[in-house]
Amino acid sequence: MGNRITLTIDGQSVSVAEGTTVHAACEQVDTFVPTLCWHENLSPANACRACVVEVKGSRTLVASCSRVAEEGMVIETSTPRVANARRVVAELLTSTTDYSTAPELLDLIEMSSADTRRFAGGASWEQPVKDDNNLYIRDLSKCILCYRCVEACGDDAQNTFAITVAGRGFDSRIDAGFGRTLPESDCVFCGNCVAVCPTGALMEKTEWTLRSENKWDDNQITTTETICSYCGVGCQLSLHVLDNQIVKVSSPMDHPVTHGMLCVKGRYGYQFVQVEDHMPV
Amino acid sequence: MAVNTGMPLTERVAAVVADLPKDRSQLLPTLWRLADHFGCLSPSLLAAVSEVMHIPYAEIYGVASFYALLPWDPGQPVIVRVCTDVMCSLKNSSELPTVLKDHEGVVVKESPCLGQCDLGPAALVGSRVVRNATPGNLAAEIGEMRHG
Amino acid sequence: MGEVRRLLPQADRRSVAVSWDRVVERGFDKAYQRVLDMGSEAAIAEVTASGIMGRGGAAFPTGRKWDSVRSSPGTAKYVVMNADESELGTFKDRALLEQDPMGPLIGLLIAAHCVGARQAYCYIRGEYREVETALSQSIDILRKKGWVGGETVDVEVRRGAGAYIAGEETALFNSIEGKRPEPRVKPPFPTVKGLFGAPTLIQNVETLANIAVLFAHDVAWFRQYGTPATPGTKLVAISGHVNRPGVFEVPFGVPLQEIIDADDLAGGIAGTGHLQAVLLGGAAGTFLSSAEVAEVPLDYGPLAKHGASIGSGAVMVFDDSVDLAWVVTKLAHFFADESCGQCVPCRIGTRRVLEILRDGNTWQRESDLRELGLAMRDASICGLGQTAPMALLSMLDRPYLRRVEMKGDEHGE
């Protein structure tokens, strides 16, 4: 065990291992700090700013997801400045994007008492759904530009680099290059971008279709754990089953082999299971 | 630089940037070199850069699409950037784009502050700065750019 | 006191700007030799003793920064001249590089020697192509003299491509590295982890020119001008309603009013002849009313009492015909165009500010604008988003600048 350091969070003294982030330190004392772009298996993007806290001596607020805790740090997680920043972040995002399938953002709206209409009425991200392949759809009206998909496609997981953030400012967007379709791009359809998307902007086509037909019901879905049978790596699969049909495959984010990431076969190659009855024995 | 125009694009690109190291940190100098050589950038040029420099296509696009000065207009027009920021606007620079739009082969864009506020209104004709810009001296500079 | 000429060469100079003769005439050859003779530690001590602070806007003590880079572990270190001058209303680095490019370059070589860097970059905005050429030619002259390249330090000129944010130091590193010029989160600071992850010293053009003139003379000479807290001279870029817009070198502590009025400086108010306000420090600056202008000197301490700072050295002067709401709308347009888009408060906030101002709802939505502005200031990743609402907030804080009757759109937009 490495060195430990002591800091103060909302008046409470906390001892954590050196290298722990401020956000993780807050978790240790059950102090909830909201996050949107942060993901346990990806590099912090520092983009959403929902996780900002006040650090004594710092001119600006500090993103707790990436800031490493230091000895003697004094952290406040719910000052008026923090509350205003969180609230405005929620209001700005909701003025721009369709947040109907974004659970963390919905929580943030509630906890920050955001007025979702305050900054609405201006430019928005509303745009047609991109339905260019059989495996997943891109509804970028729901995108909050959290960078997770780009990181998962890049060196945080897949190393394919098929998508990027392009343009700048309000016109920044996730793009495969000149707006080309995914089949035209370097995409290998591992679906790891879909697995980490926090807003439903990226969604498996099966789920998206069922949702649009009002047939998707989280309460009716059961999950069965298994090991992928395609190769010898041993990826754990969670089979999401609705009405006796597999409707989605994921892998637990804390699984030591996958860290939630799969390949195209593991994630999307499940149709054969459902036609088993018709196969010769 | 003499580059055989009959060659495949990737080879032409490789020839144009032959002296530049094939290192990620040379991406922007490479894009500038190609913009100057070919007149503008394009999807096929970026694909060639991707092959020559071994950088993913999407990443090159992500970088190239960030910068406002990189040219994308085909047909090699003269690009005129008129500063319409605070100080040049006070000197009525916002009227200049209207006057210039009748010039054939000229693309007029509004620009943020060009750092010439003491000598405004200012404009860039191609890469040349025009201070105390008027329809007259801009037309002269455009003519020179095209013929000289 | 009027104009001083130290960073800018004297009017009776004999040599041309881009020449070895200029290096000699300005005493920069002796300056560089003096640093080589005294050694890095003594030289850094002299920089610290001079009291030079960064001239790019942040005013960080230069000697301390050099110490930090020098003592940071790492074999590869870099120095960078930040000539990506893109702040609205700012053109002092352009004027300096046009008139005396050798000064900042010698400052860069001295800096590289002191912190132990073998590679230097000059990052210059893509709109300054003529200046870039002069800079490259100047480097070639130094290369021929053996001061650049080989066993010393190599210097590479990097051309920006139209992105204000690339002037932010960590965004500039990303730009050099061939990545999107999005600012990085700090800490780690550039002195520890900068360009290519190595300890990096990045300085504004004017700061490096100060270094050259310091070592061409000495600390006592350097501190003859300025205030005890802020020694030396400052380049200010004055534009707008004055009779002689331009770049002037003045001692720190000079009254702001004198800069505007003196015959050998801006030469008095033009336009209607009545000063309404000054926007000090560029688009990210602060409005000062005519009454405030009359009482403040050009120095960080006294200006801070008015919530203002010298910033980039831009002094934008407005007579009483200008609708300041129009000005802040222009500034909002600038920031919305130049935001990198990385973080929510800046990406969407700059757009919403622009929309509210453009709709003419500035005063009706004052509290929304204030809360939005504070969130941007508090929660944005970098200086762009943090300072984008400053001019607007400073106007809201000075309700007497509000027009009783909005005159409408006399300047368009």
Side-chain angles (χ1 to χ4, degrees):
Chain A
M1 195 166 129
N3 294 332
R4 294 190 75 78
I5 55 153
T6 304
L7 66 159
T8 308
I9 296 173
D10 294 338
Q12 191 180 347
S13 182
V14 190
S15 168
V16 297
E18 203 169 8
T20 305
T21 64
V22 170
H23 188 263
C26 289
E27 271 187 337
Q28 283 192 24
V29 285
D30 294 327
T31 300
F32 178 73
V33 175
T35 57
L36 296 175
C37 66
W38 180 81
H39 186 279
E40 58 195 295
N41 295 341
L42 302 172
S43 313
N46 288 298
C48 75
R49 316 307 281 178
C51 74
V52 289
V53 296
E54 207 157 325
V55 177
K56 196 176 173 188
S58 177
R59 185 173 48 86
T60 59
L61 300 177
V62 166
S64 61
C65 68
S66 62
R67 183 62 173 269
V68 174
E70 292 163 29
E71 178 66 39
M73 244 183 189
V74 178
I75 310 282
E76 297 282 348
T77 69
S78 55
T79 63
R81 282 173 80 196
V82 171
N84 180 62
R86 274 182 198 162
R87 177 171 179 223
V88 169
V89 162
E91 290 169 340
L92 290 175
L93 282 172
T94 54
S95 73
T96 311
T97 54
D98 168 0
Y99 52 96
S100 57
T101 51
E104 289 93 349
L105 181 50
L106 285 160
D107 289 347
L108 182 69
I109 295 165
E110 200 181 323
M111 87 167 280
S112 67
S113 311
D115 172 1
T116 56
R117 289 158 308 168
R118 183 151 72 140
F119 297 113
S124 84
W125 270 36
E126 197 177 337
Q127 56 189 292
V129 169
K130 293 184 197 299
D131 181 4
D132 59 20
N133 68 86
N134 288 326
L135 300 179
Y136 66 95
I137 61 95
R138 293 178 290 163
D139 184 358
L140 298 184
S141 304
K142 292 179 173 176
C143 179
I144 58 167
L145 221 65
C146 69
Y147 287 63
R148 281 190 191 178
C149 57
V150 175
E151 293 183 337
C153 189
D155 48 18
D156 274 355
Q158 186 62 29
N159 282 298
T160 294
F161 304 97
I163 50 173
T164 185
V165 177
R168 75 181 190 208
F170 196 81
D171 300 323
S172 301
R173 62 202 175 266
I174 306 296
D175 198 312
F178 297 97
R180 62 184 185 173
T181 65
L182 291 174
E184 290 172 304
S185 78
D186 298 331
C187 178
V188 296
F189 297 96
C190 63
N192 290 328
C193 54
V194 183
V196 295
C197 178
T199 64
L202 303 176
M203 195 179 278
E204 263 86 25
K205 197 151 184 185
T206 313
E207 177 177 347
W208 183 77
T209 307
L210 287 168
R211 281 182 185 272
S212 59
E213 292 167 352
N214 262 329
K215 289 179 185 160
W216 185 271
D217 183 353
D218 283 314
N219 298 322
Q220 297 297 315
I221 292 174
T222 57
T223 311
T224 303
E225 302 297 319
T226 183
I227 302 290
C228 183
S229 55
Y230 277 108
C231 76
V233 170
C235 295
Q236 183 165 344
L237 302 183
S238 305
L239 309 178
H240 304 254
V241 179
L242 178 67
D243 291 338
N244 211 27
Q245 292 283 309
I246 300 173
V247 291
K248 176 177 175 168
V249 174
S250 66
S251 184
M253 286 296 164
D254 58 357
H255 189 259
V257 175
T258 68
H259 301 285
M261 308 298 163
L262 294 171
C263 74
V264 60
K265 292 189 231 170
R267 195 180 298 280
Y268 296 116
Y270 58 82
Q271 287 302 329
F272 75 96
V273 179
Q274 342 241 38
V275 292
E276 198 172 28
D277 291 349
H278 307 286
M279 288 173 78
V281 183
Chain B
M1 191 178 307
V3 173
N4 183 351
T5 48
M7 288 195 291
L9 190 59
T10 307
E11 285 176 37
R12 284 162 66 195
V13 165
V16 172
V17 300
D19 60 315
L20 293 178
K22 302 298 170 284
D23 181 84
R24 178 72 186 247
S25 73
Q26 292 293 332
L27 179 55
L28 189 51
T30 298
L31 293 173
W32 264 125
R33 175 78 65 84
L34 296 175
D36 287 345
H37 183 88
F38 291 95
C40 70
L41 299 174
S42 64
S44 51
L45 267 179
L46 265 53
V49 174
S50 173
E51 241 179 280
V52 171
M53 296 188 75
H54 305 289
I55 301 172
Y57 178 82
E59 295 220 338
I60 297 172
Y61 176 70
V63 171
S65 62
F66 195 100
Y67 294 103
L69 280 185
L70 295 177
W72 301 96
D73 307 274
Q76 311 226 352
V78 176
I79 299 176
V80 180
R81 296 171 195 275
V82 177
C83 174
T84 52
D85 234 321
V86 179
M87 285 308 166
C88 287
S89 282
L90 284 178
K91 295 185 177 176
N92 300 317
S93 69
S94 39
E95 290 166 12
L96 291 170
T98 328
V99 182
L100 291 171
K101 74 173 188 326
D102 297 333
H103 286 259
E104 214 173 301
V106 171
V107 172
V108 186
K109 298 174 191 264
E110 296 193 10
S111 171
C113 183
L114 290 170
Q116 310 285 345
C117 316
D118 50 340
L119 300 159
L124 277 181
V125 176
S127 62
R128 290 233 278 269
V129 175
V130 177
R131 295 162 171 171
N132 298 312
T134 60
N137 64 15
L138 285 174
E141 190 68 41
I142 290 166
E144 205 170 302
M145 179 100 350
R146 202 175 276 144
H147 305 296
Chain C
M1 198 145 37
E3 193 187 12
V4 181
R5 281 193 167 259
R6 302 211 307 194
L7 304 169
L8 298 175
Q10 295 289 347
D12 61 356
R13 62 192 177 268
R14 297 174 307 278
S15 56
V16 295
V18 181
S19 69
W20 177 254
D21 288 349
R22 174 61 64 86
V23 175
V24 176
E25 184 179 3
R26 296 275 277 152
F28 293 149
D29 53 340
K30 293 196 185 76
Y32 189 41
Q33 193 55 51
R34 193 158 82 81
V35 171
L36 297 183
D37 292 344
M38 73 166 68
S40 303
E41 273 178 46
I44 294 178
E46 186 158 330
V47 173
T48 303
S50 74
I52 296 176
M53 295 185 286
R55 303 290 199 245
F60 189 85
T62 302
R64 246 168 73 196
K65 200 160 157 181
W66 290 27
D67 254 333
S68 175
V69 177
R70 182 176 157 77
S71 58
S72 284
T75 43
K77 291 179 185 179
Y78 299 94
V79 292
V80 180
M81 178 197 293
N82 187 347
D84 194 46
E85 176 174 73
S86 307
E87 178 71 45
L88 201 151
T90 306
F91 45 97
K92 49 113 184 157
D93 293 337
R94 184 205 88 217
L96 178 53
L97 288 170
E98 280 170 352
Q99 294 182 38
D100 206 46
M102 289 300 185
L105 274 176
I106 295 294
L108 186 72
L109 298 186
I110 291 173
H113 177 76
C114 288
V115 302
R118 299 287 309 278
Q119 178 69 48
Y121 290 90
C122 297
Y123 191 101
I124 184 163
R125 74 179 293 197
E127 291 86 347
Y128 285 175
R129 292 287 277 271
E130 288 100 336
V131 183
E132 179 194 324
T133 304
L135 200 52
S136 296
Q137 289 167 347
S138 302
I139 292 167
D140 287 342
I141 289 170
L142 295 174
R143 195 183 300 277
K144 286 202 186 84
K145 288 282 170 188
W147 289 22
V148 166
E151 289 304 301
T152 58
V153 57
D154 213 345
V155 183
E156 190 176 331
V157 176
R158 282 303 185 94
R159 183 193 307 153
Y164 166 71
I165 191 58
E168 195 279 341
E169 52 190 17
T170 58
L172 190 152
F173 299 152
N174 280 338
S175 181
I176 291 178
E177 290 179 22
K179 300 172 185 160
R180 288 167 58 79
E182 293 173 353
R184 304 172 183 170
V185 73
K186 290 186 274 194
F189 292 98
T191 52
V192 178
K193 200 173 175 200
L195 186 60
F196 303 114
T200 304
L201 177 71
I202 177 165
Q203 303 271 210
N204 175 259
V205 176
E206 186 185 346
T207 314
L208 293 170
N210 271 283
I211 294 298
V213 299
L214 166 68
F215 286 105
H217 302 83
D218 57 31
V219 172
W221 175 89
F222 187 85
R223 296 185 78 111
Q224 277 170 9
Y225 285 113
T227 65
T230 319
T233 56
K234 179 79 191 87
L235 296 178
V236 288
I238 309 182
S239 59
H241 292 124
V242 290
N243 289 315
R244 298 179 71 226
V247 174
F248 302 100
E249 184 173 355
V250 294
F252 279 105
V254 68
L256 209 48
Q257 190 75 55
E258 188 183 326
I259 297 176
I260 293 168
D261 287 343
D263 288 341
D264 61 345
L265 298 172
I269 300 292
T272 66
H274 300 286
L275 174 65
Q276 177 182 198
V278 161
L279 178 56
L280 186 66
T286 305
F287 281 108
L288 293 172
S289 68
S290 56
E292 289 172 299
V293 168
E295 66 179 59
V296 284
L298 187 82
D299 199 358
Y300 295 99
L303 280 167
K305 292 183 189 132
H306 295 263
S309 185
I310 297 164
S312 61
V315 180
M316 299 155 83
V317 180
F318 300 103
D319 71 13
D320 61 358
S321 74
V322 180
D323 182 354
L324 297 185
W326 171 82
V327 177
V328 291
T329 308
K330 275 283 181 193
L331 304 182
H333 194 275
F334 177 79
F335 285 118
D337 273 358
E338 298 297 338
S339 166
C340 82
Q342 192 180 192
C343 71
V344 172
C346 180
R347 177 177 76 240
I348 309 176
T350 52
R351 178 58 60 115
R352 298 292 175 245
V353 168
L354 174 61
E355 287 168 351
I356 292 169
L357 298 181
R358 205 184 249 164
D359 291 347
N361 292 332
T362 312
W363 299 97
Q364 295 90 317
R365 298 196 60 186
E366 188 182 339
S367 70
D368 287 345
L369 281 172
R370 277 186 187 278
E371 288 177 18
L372 175 52
L374 292 177
M376 290 166 71
R377 188 196 69 184
D378 287 343
S380 295
I381 292 177
C382 81
L384 190 155
Q386 288 162 12
T387 59
M390 297 311 277
L392 169 64
L393 291 172
S394 77
M395 187 184 74
L396 297 178
D397 287 340
R398 290 163 176 76
Y400 46 86
L401 292 177
R402 177 184 178 179
R403 300 208 137 184
V404 181
E405 223 174 304
M406 295 301 236
K407 273 200 188 166
D409 267 354
E410 65 259 56
H411 308 295
E413 183 168 296

